[in-house]
Amino acid sequence: MKARVTVTLKSGVLDPQGKAIEGALRSLGVDGVTSVRQGKVFDIELAGGDKAGAEAALKQAAEKLLANMVIENYRVEVLG
Amino acid sequence: MKAAILVFPGINRERDMARTLKLVSGRDPAMVWHAETALPAGTDLVVIPGGFSYGDYLRCGAIAARAPVMDAVRAHAAKGGLVLGVCNGFQILCESGLLPGLLMRNAGLKFICRDVYLRVERADTPFTAGYKKNQVIRVPVAHGEGNYIADGETIAKLEGEGRVLYRYASPDGMIDPDWNHNGAMNAIAGIVSERGNVLGMMPHPENHVDAAIGPTDGRGLFAGLNDHLAKAA
């Protein structure tokens, strides 16, 4: 089973890397970008076909390691 | 002082730290590999040195914080044992939950490697006993992620409980954004846990201890710890 965990910064947390990317896009002449927030994507493969079990395992993975809940949020998608 | 230095893959300041601890206490610290599940018997100070544990993958300190030896460090801290984390060690302590908040990318986005000035906020702790309150010390920093951040409630608690022990300051001890090189909230350079027995700090006091190389302002931290532990023994 394939799944994706997306980790993003909580709103309000300053994102200096996002700011730098935003500046680089502007200097490349990409128009209309008003804000960039960067994050991480984890593509994960799991054994077995239990969707609810996979979601629970991924939630645990995100909270124990993939995200730091002080500044980050996460989203789990089981892609099947 | 019976110190133990934790060694993770990618750590690179453990020998500087060992040399300093030997210089101050006369005793070689134990070097403890990350896969160990216990600390040497009688350890009274655990030191987590600087470096780039696990290549800073995922987040600085995130993977080291989940290494087997950290359970032993948690148990040591829970008994009131002293823990000192410097630079990557501070990041590891935050990631492990032993200290609140965390260290973000420096506000100016650059890796900063130079001497800074710290104001010692109080002298009545094991980690500051070698200094006077409001003394300004000069010590080096070398980090890309040293920008301390925590939620408003945590910052208010840290300040209210006097848990900020070291703050970035000007050479005459003024708190000024121009001297807060990484943009840390409230110019925080070092904080202690609720019980006061776990200190995390970004600067490297262990690198300013020998007059043959330069300033010796960092020595007070280790001398203070050594005296504190000698008295406690």
Side-chain angles (χ1 to χ4, degrees), chain B residues 38-225:
Chain B
L39 298 166
T43 297
D44 52 21
L45 171 69
V46 173
V47 182
I48 313 181
F52 301 86
S53 57
Y54 300 91
D56 279 348
Y57 290 175
L58 190 62
R59 296 178 304 274
C60 300
I63 297 177
R66 282 118 183 128
V69 74
M70 289 305 293
D71 286 334
V73 175
R74 270 188 209 94
H76 172 80
K79 285 186 299 186
L82 297 178
V83 180
L84 166 65
V86 167
C87 199
N88 195 207
F90 187 8
Q91 296 164 341
I92 293 168
L93 288 172
C94 287
E95 278 285 346
S96 72
L98 282 162
L99 289 174
L102 86 162
L103 288 311
M104 293 271 290
R105 180 64 57 95
N106 293 343
L109 295 172
K110 292 198 172 81
F111 190 96
I112 301 169
C113 182
R114 60 171 152 91
D115 283 6
V116 299
Y117 295 91
L118 303 181
R119 189 174 78 189
V120 180
E121 298 293 289
R122 49 190 289 194
D124 57 341
T125 80
F127 298 106
T128 51
Y131 301 117
K132 293 187 186 71
K133 182 177 157 72
N134 291 330
Q135 186 176 340
V136 176
I137 59 170
R138 178 182 158 189
V139 284
V141 292
H143 58 246
E145 284 89 0
N147 179 357
Y148 184 78
I149 177 175
D151 60 53
E153 197 182 318
T154 303
I155 294 285
K157 197 158 180 266
L158 288 172
E159 295 289 357
E161 293 171 358
R163 286 164 54 191
V164 179
L165 301 193
Y166 295 98
R167 238 185 267 272
Y168 302 114
S170 69
D172 55 358
M174 293 295 130
I175 304 304
D176 180 332
D178 288 347
W179 293 91
N180 181 6
H181 64 284
N182 60 24
M185 279 180 147
N186 292 18
I188 288 172
I191 54 165
V192 281
S193 59
E194 209 158 343
R195 278 178 78 173
N197 60 323
V198 179
L199 170 72
M201 67 190 299
M202 286 314 295
H204 288 278
E206 77 277 16
N207 289 128
H208 273 187
V209 293
D210 190 338
I213 310 173
T216 56
D217 288 4
R219 199 165 173 141
L221 193 153
F222 301 96
L225 275 173

